[in-house]
Amino acid sequence: DAKTTQPTSMDCAEGRAANLPCNHSTISGNEYVYWYRQIHSQGPQYIIHGLKNNETNEMASLIITEDRKSSTLILPHATLRDTAVYYCIVRVGYRDDKIIFGKGTRLHILP
Amino acid sequence: GAGVSQSPSNKVTEKGKDVELRCDPISGHTALYWYRQSLGQGLEFLIYFQGNSAPDKSGLPSDRFSAERTGGSVSTLTIQRTQQEDSAVYLCASRRDHYNEQFFGPGTRLTVL
């Protein structure tokens, strides 16, 4: 079973920041939070990951709460090409690496 | 460099036939995963290979499904006696080591008539 919960869908206006929430209340101390996205008819694409500190790369920022029970993926200036399903994943541990994808959030960028 | 490749990109078969799907991971990646995605659904884990360890087959839906990974590189997913419910996109992913991200292939769309 997926260890995360995400809203089924969200809308965001083009050019605005898209903030995608994820709850992972049962996360363990050695588990990382990963985000992937899947654009229609393509394989999933890695976006970003983090343990407890906030992270930023060329694609997005990841904000993890202090208790690590939730996180937010931020796409700072959403474009139409960011329309996709976004998956928040908690890695289940160092040895058991069967990464489980939930249903994700379908993000619609509106022109 | 080259990403994960899968072949064929599309496969149409008749119910009851066997099919083989191929995955070429990124060179040097020790971990390889197979997932499937039915229309409008999330990714369903099937099987995971890590180096020379025994594969984690816990996601295979029935004994008609099997996979092997030869020489720690190329992997083949075999579905015997295909059923219509096997129709899905089959995705392969590879990863360099435990703390790095997965890279996904484009998938094979399987249609069982």
Side-chain angles (χ1 to χ4, degrees):
Chain A
D1 293 329
K3 297 178 66 174
T4 62
T5 55
Q6 299 176 253
T8 303
S9 67
M10 292 181 63
D11 293 338
C12 179
E14 189 178 17
R16 297 293 187 119
N19 297 280
L20 293 92
C22 179
N23 288 323
H24 30 80
S25 58
T26 60
I27 192 170
S28 300
N30 62 347
E31 291 179 324
Y32 288 71
V33 180
Y34 278 73
W35 283 84
Y36 286 78
R37 74 178 181 184
Q38 188 173 23
I39 296 171
H40 183 61
S41 299
Q42 298 182 21
Q45 174 192 24
Y46 165 83
I47 301 173
I48 199 167
H49 75 280
L51 182 62
K52 54 184 178 182
N53 296 323
N54 298 337
E55 302 288 344
T56 295
N57 63 20
E58 65 277 6
M59 289 183 68
S61 295
L62 174 60
I63 308 298
I64 303 174
T65 58
E66 191 169 342
D67 63 7
R68 302 210 320 125
K69 293 186 177 181
S70 66
S71 61
T72 301
L73 178 75
I74 301 172
L75 308 178
H77 304 288
T79 71
L80 296 177
R81 289 174 294 180
D82 292 322
T83 293
V85 178
Y86 287 76
Y87 296 98
C88 170
I89 297 154
V90 168
R91 292 279 288 270
V92 298
Y94 183 84
R95 293 193 62 81
D96 178 11
D97 207 20
K98 183 174 64 183
I99 301 174
I100 305 297
F101 286 75
K103 295 196 185 301
T105 296
R106 187 171 297 276
L107 177 65
H108 300 276
I109 304 300
L110 307 175
Chain B
V4 177
S5 61
Q6 294 185 244
S7 60
S9 55
N10 281 284
K11 177 71 176 178
V12 180
T13 191
E14 294 180 347
K15 178 181 174 181
K17 296 285 181 70
D18 298 350
V19 295
E20 285 190 352
L21 312 180
R22 177 187 169 105
C23 172
D24 285 83
I26 294 173
S27 178
H29 281 199
T30 59
L32 186 147
Y33 302 76
W34 282 98
Y35 297 85
R36 73 175 175 182
Q37 187 170 35
S38 301
L39 187 63
Q41 301 297 310
L43 279 75
E44 176 188 2
F45 167 81
L46 297 178
I47 189 169
Y48 160 52
F49 296 89
Q50 174 62 56
N52 296 321
S53 302
D56 179 347
K57 305 179 182 180
S58 60
L60 296 179
S62 78
D63 58 8
R64 295 186 296 104
F65 287 72
S66 63
E68 62 178 22
R69 188 179 184 193
T70 54
S73 180
V74 172
S75 177
T76 302
L77 177 70
T78 301
I79 308 173
Q80 296 178 309
R81 306 181 301 282
T82 53
Q83 304 294 314
Q84 288 182 329
E85 60 263 29
D86 299 335
S87 296
V89 175
Y90 288 81
L91 289 157
C92 174
S94 71
R95 187 166 49 76
R96 182 162 61 87
D97 56 39
H98 283 286
Y99 292 104
N100 286 85
E101 66 271 24
Q102 292 175 307
F103 291 86
F104 282 81
T108 293
R109 181 174 297 279
L110 174 66
T111 303
V112 182
L113 302 177

